Amino acid sequence: MTRDGDTRDQRTENQSSRAGEVFDAAWEKEARATLELAGFDGDLAVDAARDALRVLTGELDEEEFRRRYHRRYVREFGVDDRPAPGHPAAPAAGTQPSEASEAAEGAAIGAGDGNGEADEPPLTRSGDTLLSRRSALGLAGAGAAALFLGDLAYGSGGTGSPGAAVDDESASTGGQAEAADEDRSVRWGMVVDLERCDGCLMCVMGCQQQNGLPEGVHWIYSLAYREPDRPDDLNILLRMCQHCSNAPCVKVCPTAARHYRDDGLVLVDYDLCIGCRYCQVACPYGANYFQWTEPENYGGGFDGERKDARGRSVVGDPPVGVMGKCTFCPTRQDAALQSGENPPPGETTCELACPHDVLHFGDLNDPDSKPNRYLEEKRREKGGPVHTFRLLEDLGTRPNVIYIGSPPSPRAEAVEPPFPYEERGFVEERRIVLEGPEPWFRRIRGESREGSE
């Protein structure tokens, strides 16, 4: 199916069907397998993830979303600390989940059908979706993700058809190119120049070493693909947490462990996270990881300060039983904000590790920040518009990662990367070492693979 000539308005009209495509039957199968390992209510997680996406696409009112699941959350977790509409902040440092939220919301949540819940028909699928974006980016790892690059990135930014030049002064490109996020004076984000990326994996290596990540866990992925009409051109897509300004993972977290910092970073408070994996299921980018055992058990772990300037544990690989993902290096950003410089000199480890000037991190709300200056330089270099896009922007997530280059088409095909993960000492697919039952859970129980059923 081609969508040449689609406009931004036309894609907006189609958002409800796209929501159904993302969280389809294939996604649900993978999600339930994930949730079964976590031991929490899979029906609740699947329902909440689908409806959180419907909130993002405008199909469901956020207040109704909270009301619909409040009592189910309290029954499952003993608490419902999901952010109330218009109030995205998480509890203060040191607070623990409690049932206070249920009492505080009382009559408002209890109003309605008498039991705090509402039945909704399931989202219908549009067309013959073979595999959802979330499934492609989930437990199967980078190999499976690359097979569905077109489904992931198509229609995610700008106007016009795939591969057409986009004028980033009128499209969604950050800083001067878009209206500032009114909720925050600083909004950390990144411009990724895919036209300069050769897939060397130095960003992957730098991130893994800095954060002490276990084998098979990569907070940034490098995915290689080719287009059928340009078979000689090797393309790279870098995928990390998009630090969305409208993040579905925040909407489904029962304890407010997943939260926004004042500077826009989407982080996990390791002291509040209970490892339910609801955020993993709700994320359309597949950016979340569960920590199966203590970090030092598999290769060093993180040896820096785990707390940010607020005193919250959000840095480095998480402790056992807790979710982790790309953090955009919050302690580095704390130092940048405390420097007094304007704009603050934000930076990330992956940016510093890149030898090809691909990654440009900074305050997207500041026209003088590194990412916005780089966009302006690219415009001057090209003498006009540049190709830009954001992943799944039309779902309403408001991602804060902006890509320079053409998005993969629906016909994009995965190819062998120029620098294989194995050659760098990595394991490409997380499932090989981290997802059970082979071989991870047997290793935890002290069983050998040989002679076990």
Side-chain angles (χ1 to χ4, degrees):
M1 177 175 66
T2 62
R3 299 169 181 155
D4 292 350
D6 274 5
T7 66
R8 181 177 294 273
D9 290 342
Q10 287 172 325
R11 287 198 300 273
T12 300
E13 292 173 1
N14 291 331
Q15 279 183 344
S16 62
S17 63
R18 288 178 67 87
E21 290 173 4
V22 171
F23 289 164
D24 61 5
W27 161 82
E28 181 172 339
K29 181 178 179 181
E30 291 280 0
R32 289 189 180 278
T34 297
L35 294 160
E36 183 178 359
L37 298 175
F40 289 92
D41 187 341
D43 291 335
L44 174 57
V46 167
D47 292 345
R50 281 192 168 122
D51 275 350
L53 191 62
R54 296 179 70 197
V55 172
L56 268 60
T57 58
E59 302 168 69
L60 181 66
D61 178 75
E62 189 154 6
E63 186 173 348
E64 170 60 23
F65 169 69
R66 181 164 178 79
R67 179 183 298 112
R68 178 175 296 179
Y69 293 103
H70 175 68
R71 291 194 178 182
R72 291 178 67 180
Y73 263 69
V74 171
R75 283 200 300 267
E76 180 66 14
F77 303 106
V79 64
D80 180 9
D81 280 336
R82 292 174 298 148
H87 299 281
T95 61
Q96 296 297 324
S98 71
E99 296 188 19
S101 58
E102 180 182 14
E105 291 170 19
I109 298 296
D113 63 0
N115 63 8
E117 300 174 21
D119 293 326
E120 284 286 320
L123 291 176
T124 56
R125 295 177 62 187
S126 172
D128 295 325
T129 302
L130 297 179
L131 187 65
S132 73
R133 299 174 184 83
R134 175 58 184 80
S135 298
L137 280 176
L139 298 177
L147 295 174
F148 299 94
L149 285 162
D151 192 36
L152 167 69
Y154 177 79
S156 297
T159 57
S161 59
V166 174
D167 183 350
D168 57 21
E169 291 188 357
S170 61
S172 177
T173 54
Q176 291 177 303
E178 67 178 10
D181 188 326
E182 296 178 355
D183 297 333
R184 299 180 175 89
S185 59
V186 173
R187 179 166 56 98
W188 294 121
M190 183 176 283
V191 165
V192 181
D193 190 349
L194 298 177
E195 295 175 351
R196 300 183 63 91
C197 182
D198 68 354
C200 71
L201 301 183
M202 293 302 294
C203 59
V204 178
M205 181 179 297
C207 175
Q208 188 170 55
Q209 292 177 349
Q210 172 66 31
N211 293 289
L213 302 181
E215 188 179 17
V217 171
H218 306 294
W219 285 356
I220 180 170
Y221 262 115
S222 174
L223 310 174
Y225 67 96
R226 296 187 190 277
E227 298 287 359
D229 58 344
R230 301 191 303 275
D232 295 332
D233 295 339
L234 179 66
N235 303 281
I236 303 294
L237 177 66
L238 296 180
R239 188 231 62 185
M240 67 285 284
C241 174
Q242 305 292 296
H243 289 268
C244 306
S245 291
N246 196 17
C249 60
V250 173
K251 296 183 185 301
V252 302
C253 179
T255 66
R258 184 64 55 91
H259 64 283
Y260 305 102
R261 279 209 327 182
D262 288 343
D263 54 13
L265 298 186
V266 179
L267 300 173
V268 185
D269 188 322
Y270 298 157
D271 295 330
L272 296 181
C273 180
I274 59 175
C276 67
R277 303 179 81 171
Y278 278 35
C279 58
Q280 181 175 346
V281 168
C283 174
Y285 303 101
N288 295 277
Y289 296 91
F290 181 81
Q291 190 80 298
W292 288 110
T293 190
E294 291 295 345
E296 61 268 23
N297 289 352
Y298 39 59
F302 180 73
D303 59 4
E305 172 58 52
R306 289 193 179 277
K307 296 183 183 295
D308 64 2
R310 305 168 302 166
R312 300 185 67 171
S313 298
V314 296
V315 182
D317 60 336
V320 63
V322 169
M323 300 303 300
K325 68 170 190 67
C326 158
T327 64
F328 273 167
C329 304
T331 53
R332 291 186 184 274
Q333 310 333 321
D334 292 339
L337 293 173
Q338 293 166 4
S339 70
E341 296 185 39
N342 188 24
E347 61 186 18
T348 61
T349 298
C350 57
E351 176 187 30
L352 295 173
C354 175
H356 303 302
D357 204 30
V358 172
L359 305 171
H360 305 270
F361 182 86
D363 179 8
L364 296 184
N365 282 347
D366 192 321
D368 293 325
S369 67
K370 285 185 293 182
N372 285 315
R373 290 200 309 268
Y374 189 79
L375 284 171
E376 181 60 33
E377 291 170 5
K378 290 290 287 191
R379 282 194 291 268
R380 290 198 299 267
E381 176 186 316
K382 291 180 176 292
V386 298
H387 300 259
T388 61
F389 66 96
R390 303 194 193 200
L391 294 179
L392 305 183
E393 183 184 20
D394 53 352
L395 294 180
T397 55
R398 294 164 62 195
N400 286 308
V401 177
I402 303 159
Y403 293 91
I404 294 175
S406 298
S409 79
R411 303 180 304 278
E413 300 175 351
V415 297
E416 289 295 322
F419 299 89
Y421 278 64
E422 292 78 4
E423 290 185 5
R424 298 290 196 191
F426 300 143
V427 175
E428 181 178 1
E429 294 193 9
R430 162 183 166 85
R431 176 172 284 167
I432 295 173
V433 294
L434 292 183
E435 295 292 351
E438 283 277 352
W440 191 253
F441 292 108
R442 287 179 178 164
R443 188 185 308 168
I444 291 175
R445 293 194 301 263
E447 302 174 21
S448 64
R449 298 181 64 182
E450 296 77 16
S452 298
E453 295 183 357

